[in-house]
Amino acid sequence: MSGTVEAPAGPIVVVGIGADGWEGLAPTSRAEVERAEVLLGSARQLDLVPAEVPAERLPWPSPLTEALPGLVEEHAGRALVVLASGDPMLSGIGTTLTRLLGADRVRVLPAPSSVSLACARLGWAVEDTEVVTLVGRPIELLHPHVQPGRRLLVLGSDGETPAQVAALLAGRGYGQSLVTVLGGLGGPDEEVRTGTAATWSQPAPALVVTAVECRADRGTMPLPTTPGLPDGAYESDGQLTKSEVRAVTLARLAAVPGQLLWDVGAGAGSIGIEWMRAHPTCRAVAVEASAERAERIARNAARLGVPYLRVVHGHAPDVLSRLGAPDAVFIGGGLTTPLLVESCWDALPVGGRLVANAVTVESEAVLAQWHAKVGGELVRIEVSRAEPVGSFTGWKPAMPVTIWSVTRW
């Protein structure tokens, strides 16, 4: 996109401004605003600039993303200054403009971010605090970060966020978590309100940061981001890669931040879900032929904190061509389908990983043929669980699972 937008003659200057307004701006930031010919920002931010500043003031249009390239081109050649809240590079307009124009065409003058101000008020070390951005995003993204003892700063779109966060925590068995809402940080009307998630009922101002100290209720089992969540974490009709096998499978798929997984024959969606839980930037597509299972996958994904899992209802390999190039592929079902393994293998780039699981003799035969053809590693896993045998305990074996894993070089 950056090649299609004509930027102003000089760099666009993005000035971070806090709730303390004009008085809180550094001299360099003030000077840039005073020399501007055009000021862009929200109505609230524009009102913080004294009337004596002569620039033309333009509030952001809605929707902003679509209008931004045209705005930049319209004012090419003029001194353009953009006002932003706090640090413009923290989920802000500075990041958007840099992606649009390139870093050399944007100059950013940050103010203290809401994260820095919140940590300063709370006495929390910034490097030990997880920041979760929910601005324009679903609340379910918070789930993977809810872990015993963790400190979270949640950035939301409006004053409804604290109540939504408290409800999610209470529903997950973290009702004793301490919730602190910090409003108007750095401004004259700054306020702090504290309570527990289970009892939260306080109103909140529009501009807030929600701080959480996660405390699990008695009997609550953590759901870590490491592979192998308990089978009971999933809604399933039995088509589920069991916990122990899932952990080994995901270890061989080797989730890397930013990479894309195809989960083919997804069943309950557990492989794609846990791939995405490994890192916030991991992406996955779950392919499932059953409409009922596809709907179930979407529910599992939302409940386990990865609502952006893409669910494709259709038959593989027919639908694979429209998924986008994968970095890794898991085949959990349909190995005997003609051309399925070939299509997955051909889609992989150099360094891409393919892992396939088989429980039937026919599927094992397919894996053996491919192992002979392109190499990789074949492993068989057998899991037995202790169960009552009369008044004693014995081992009940589950069906063995053969795992083929290979990297394309």
Side-chain angles (χ1 to χ4, degrees):
M1 184 181 288
S2 61
T4 65
V5 178
E6 182 183 353
I12 290 179
V13 179
V14 185
V15 173
I17 187 167
D20 50 357
W22 186 253
E23 296 301 321
L25 284 181
T28 302
S29 296
R30 280 197 194 185
E32 291 292 348
V33 174
E34 289 170 338
R35 75 170 186 84
E37 295 175 277
V38 179
L39 276 178
L40 286 171
S42 69
R44 180 185 64 82
Q45 292 158 350
L46 293 171
D47 286 344
L48 296 174
V49 177
E52 294 76 22
V53 174
E56 179 184 359
R57 305 184 187 207
L58 298 176
W60 289 122
S62 180
L64 171 60
T65 304
E66 289 80 356
L68 190 56
L71 275 175
V72 172
E73 290 184 343
E74 180 183 349
H75 299 288
R78 303 177 73 187
L80 180 60
V81 173
V82 173
L83 299 178
S85 295
D87 184 351
M89 301 304 288
L90 179 63
S91 299
I93 191 64
T95 304
T96 304
L97 284 169
T98 300
R99 289 173 180 163
L100 178 68
L101 301 173
D104 59 329
R105 305 301 301 163
V106 181
R107 182 185 177 207
V108 178
L109 301 175
S113 70
S114 58
V115 169
S116 295
L117 291 171
C119 285
R121 302 295 185 271
L122 295 165
W124 292 2
V126 175
E127 66 272 18
D128 294 332
T129 303
E130 287 191 71
V131 179
V132 185
T133 300
L134 299 180
V135 179
R137 300 177 182 180
I139 186 69
E140 289 85 1
L141 290 172
L142 187 60
H143 279 296
H145 303 278
V146 178
Q147 306 291 346
R150 297 302 298 162
R151 286 176 168 175
L152 314 176
L153 285 182
V154 183
L155 310 182
S157 299
D158 52 41
E160 300 297 319
T161 300
Q164 294 170 353
V165 169
L168 182 146
L169 290 165
R172 274 283 307 278
Y174 286 77
Q176 298 306 306
S177 298
L178 190 65
V179 177
T180 303
V181 171
L182 304 104
L185 281 166
D189 300 321
E190 182 175 309
E191 57 181 304
V192 178
R193 299 174 182 175
T194 301
T196 65
T199 61
W200 186 266
S201 61
Q202 303 182 48
L207 298 175
V208 298
V209 175
T210 306
V212 178
E213 294 184 66
C214 296
R215 299 174 182 174
D217 301 341
R218 186 183 181 93
T220 296
M221 292 295 294
L223 294 178
T225 55
T226 50
L229 290 179
D231 294 342
Y234 293 93
E235 180 187 348
S236 164
D237 62 1
Q239 289 295 108
L240 172 70
T241 303
K242 298 302 189 287
S243 177
E244 295 83 1
V245 175
R246 194 184 324 129
V248 174
T249 299
L250 283 154
R252 290 174 178 267
L253 285 168
V256 173
Q259 291 195 344
L260 173 66
L261 169 75
W262 288 358
D263 182 359
V264 180
S270 62
I271 296 295
I273 288 170
E274 293 191 30
W275 167 280
M276 291 184 68
R277 283 174 62 90
H279 192 273
T281 63
C282 285
R283 299 167 294 129
V285 182
V287 179
E288 177 52 54
S290 164
E292 183 179 354
R293 288 176 182 164
E295 293 173 359
R296 188 180 294 121
I297 290 168
R299 291 195 297 270
N300 282 331
R303 190 173 60 254
L304 291 170
V306 289
Y308 290 139
L309 173 69
R310 180 184 170 195
V311 182
V312 174
H313 172 220
H315 292 271
D318 300 345
V319 300
L320 299 182
S321 62
R322 66 174 194 251
L323 301 188
D327 300 288
V329 176
F330 171 65
I331 306 176
L335 278 169
T336 58
T337 303
L339 300 179
L340 175 59
V341 181
E342 288 91 336
S343 298
C344 292
W345 177 256
D346 291 343
L348 282 175
V350 173
R353 289 88 63 202
L354 190 152
V355 177
N357 292 359
V359 295
T360 68
V361 172
E362 292 79 7
S363 295
E364 284 186 337
V366 174
L367 296 189
Q369 292 170 4
W370 274 90
H371 178 258
K373 181 179 178 180
V374 300
E377 186 175 6
L378 280 171
V379 173
R380 173 174 281 188
I381 295 179
E382 300 184 44
V383 177
S384 296
R385 288 184 171 82
E387 295 190 2
V389 179
S391 59
F392 296 93
T393 303
W395 294 104
K396 182 178 180 179
M399 290 183 67
V401 179
T402 299
I403 301 177
W404 175 52
S405 56
V406 62
T407 301
R408 183 163 191 172
W409 295 114

